[in-house]
Amino acid sequence: SAHRYVVQQRLKRPGAWWTPDNAEAMLALRLVRANGQWSAYWSSHLKQVA
């Protein structure tokens, strides 16, 4: 049931609309956050863009 909660919390808000590409990117970030990997993700991301 966690997969439904993570997806629905962000994507099924009133008035929200998403393209498939944007929805996939948002879901990826939500999963990183839900798995407790937020800081590690951004540390890695910042190293790649620097």
Side-chain angles (χ1 to χ4, degrees), residues 1-46:
S1 72
H3 66 283
R4 289 186 188 132
Y5 174 78
V6 170
V7 172
Q8 291 179 8
Q9 260 321 94
R10 183 64 177 107
L11 298 180
K12 291 192 173 183
R13 293 182 179 207
W17 58 273
W18 300 92
T19 65
D21 290 338
N22 292 341
E24 286 186 31
M26 181 57 67
L27 287 176
L29 288 173
R30 290 280 299 172
L31 291 173
V32 166
R33 184 173 170 220
N35 288 327
Q37 299 173 342
W38 190 254
S39 294
Y41 170 81
W42 285 110
S43 293
S44 174
H45 179 72
L46 291 174

